[in-house]
Amino acid sequence: MSSLQFKGRDIVSIEDFSREEIDYILKSSQAMEQFAAKGSDMLKGKILVNLFFEPSTRTRLSFEAAMLKLGGSTIGFAEAEIASVRKGENLADTIRTVENYADIIALRHPLEGAAKLAAEFSKVPVLNAGSGAEEHPTQAFMDLYTLQKEKGKIDGLKIALVGDLRYGRTVHSLAYALSLYNIELYLISPETLRMRHEVIRAIKNKISIIEDTNLENIIPQIDVLYVTRIQKERFPDLAEYAKVKGAYRIDLKTLQKAKKDMIILHPLPRIDEIAAEVDSTPQARYFQQVWNGIVVRMALLALVLGAVK
Ligand code: NCD
């Protein structure tokens, strides 16, 4: 039994979670594997409302699948154009309406701070399913769970985050979380897409960080290569995007220099940053990562809704 409290909590930022809490969530996720396979009715009668103001395949569907596997139901929209937002409704009013239908809300929104604002207005817990370029905490939990499952541990790993570290929200949440472990972090990006200053400031005294633009030099050392998409839609200027498009491409040649047991993760969607030929190598683990998203979201739903302690 744990003395940690998850019931009724919002999941807005991964920074709100201690190492002990994160480790507990990873343990709870592992306990969910059996229910992901055979189903459960522990959330029977509970409703998840998905409010997705930005495109999504995995996050929305895995929240839905997680809820259904636990016997709950989901409603919501995945296309803000058809919701009342289109008529000019503001987010606070949408939340104060939707909370009447919901036991829990998952929100994805293009604006930073949106999840925090929603959590302030909502009587029911809010799960941040992506807030602009800021954070994506549930993705970070599944990334950590994947590391734990695939490498057997997180402490001691040398981990490279590669690609768009400026606009990519998954790497922000992941970097915050990894700073609670004893790891070495390599931040590989084009100069213009370096890791946000606020993230660097928050983590630099906790772990060793190596920033570089060159991936090849560090490939032989690392245990985990976490690749991200250049976030085209977040560039204020498409001419800037054109300059960094295709900056990194992982192919079989890249892997020749890698450790045999290095693993490759990616939050997906992938554009061209990992060649299809890599998919069938033992290093590619990004589709296993997708499965882990279901069990982790099952655990988060069950913990926040108080179905498990
Ligand atoms: C990510 C996102 O939406 O931030 N996708 C996801 O949720 N798995 C990554 C991305 O869009 O590049």
Side-chain angles (χ1 to χ4, degrees), residues 58-59 108 136 139 169-170 229 231 267-269:
R58 278 149 291 267
T59 305
R108 170 169 287 193
H136 194 347
Q139 176 75 42
R169 54 193 169 200
T170 70
R229 164 180 81 87
Q231 308 273 306
L268 303 176

Side-chain angles (χ1 to χ4, degrees), residues 49 80 82 86 106 110 115 129 136 157 177 182 191 231 276 283-285 293 302:
V49 175
I82 60 163
R86 185 89 176 94
H136 194 347
L157 294 176
N182 181 19
E191 195 58 45
Q231 308 273 306
Q283 282 101 336
R285 302 294 162 89

Side-chain angles (χ1 to χ4, degrees), residues 145-166:
Y145 182 65
T146 306
L147 291 178
Q148 179 80 53
K149 194 163 147 184
E150 297 288 338
K151 302 297 289 179
K153 58 171 190 180
I154 300 173
D155 284 319
L157 294 176
K158 296 185 178 185
I159 302 171
L161 309 183
V162 180
D164 187 345
L165 307 185
R166 176 171 186 185

Side-chain angles (χ1 to χ4, degrees), residues 12-282:
V12 168
S13 167
I14 197 103
E15 283 198 284
D16 298 334
F17 291 83
S18 66
R19 159 108 189 222
E20 191 189 5
E21 288 173 332
I22 294 177
D23 284 338
Y24 193 80
I25 289 168
L26 302 188
K27 239 173 58 202
S28 306
S29 303
Q30 207 205 335
M32 281 295 161
E33 295 267 3
Q34 53 165 323
F35 299 117
K38 66 171 200 236
S40 154
D41 61 1
M42 69 172 85
L43 292 183
K44 192 159 185 279
K46 301 288 186 195
I47 297 178
L48 163 73
V49 175
N50 268 327
L51 302 179
F52 277 63
F53 292 86
E54 270 193 342
S56 172
T57 302
R58 278 149 291 267
T59 305
R60 185 173 61 83
L61 293 179
S62 73
F63 264 122
E64 286 190 16
M67 197 64 186
L68 297 176
K69 280 175 183 288
L70 292 175
S73 313
T74 75
I75 52 176
F77 58 78
E79 181 52 86
E81 287 292 299
I82 60 163
S84 282
V85 195
R86 185 89 176 94
K87 302 180 189 165
E89 183 166 63
N90 66 41
L91 181 61
D93 285 0
T94 302
I95 294 294
R96 283 181 292 193
T97 302
V98 160
E99 67 184 3
N100 293 285
Y101 318 138
D103 295 288
I104 189 162
I105 295 171
L107 173 75
R108 170 169 287 193
H109 199 282
L111 290 181
E112 298 189 7
K116 187 161 184 288
L117 180 103
E120 277 162 16
F121 277 96
S122 178
K123 289 201 285 266
V124 301
V126 170
L127 308 177
N128 179 4
S131 48
E134 183 185 39
E135 273 219 53
H136 194 347
T138 66
Q139 176 75 42
F141 286 123
M142 74 187 255
D143 295 339
L144 295 172
Y145 182 65
T146 306
L147 291 178
Q148 179 80 53
K149 194 163 147 184
E150 297 288 338
K151 302 297 289 179
K153 58 171 190 180
I154 300 173
D155 284 319
L157 294 176
K158 296 185 178 185
I159 302 171
L161 309 183
V162 180
D164 187 345
L165 307 185
R166 176 171 186 185
Y167 297 118
R169 54 193 169 200
T170 70
V171 285
H172 300 152
S173 295
L174 184 56
Y176 286 131
L178 287 173
S179 73
L180 303 176
Y181 293 82
N182 181 19
I183 60 123
E184 255 175 55
L185 193 61
Y186 293 76
L187 301 173
I188 310 299
S189 71
E191 195 58 45
T192 53
L193 299 179
R194 282 169 72 169
M195 181 58 90
R196 279 164 80 125
H197 289 311
E198 69 198 70
V199 178
I200 298 281
R201 251 198 320 274
I203 68 174
K204 69 168 189 251
N205 294 329
K206 301 187 193 162
I207 49 171
S208 124
I209 301 173
I210 298 101
E211 282 189 278
D212 205 333
T213 54
N214 185 302
L215 176 63
E216 264 177 46
N217 295 347
I218 61 121
I219 277 276
Q221 271 106 281
I222 56 176
D223 303 301
V224 180
L225 185 62
Y226 186 98
V227 186
T228 64
R229 164 180 81 87
I230 310 282
Q231 308 273 306
K232 181 178 181 185
E233 72 278 21
R234 302 205 194 281
F235 280 69
D237 177 358
L238 279 184
E240 286 303 312
Y241 169 72
K243 288 185 200 156
V244 288
K245 181 176 178 280
Y248 302 99
R249 185 174 161 82
I250 313 302
D251 55 19
L252 291 182
K253 202 162 147 261
T254 324
L255 295 189
Q256 280 172 8
K257 297 204 192 98
K259 285 187 187 173
K260 285 278 160 290
D261 62 352
M262 183 192 83
I263 60 167
I264 306 171
L265 305 183
H266 191 310
L268 303 176
R270 144 181 67 180
I271 309 302
D272 54 7
E273 56 280 354
I274 302 178
E277 64 189 17
V278 174
D279 296 358
S280 54
T281 67

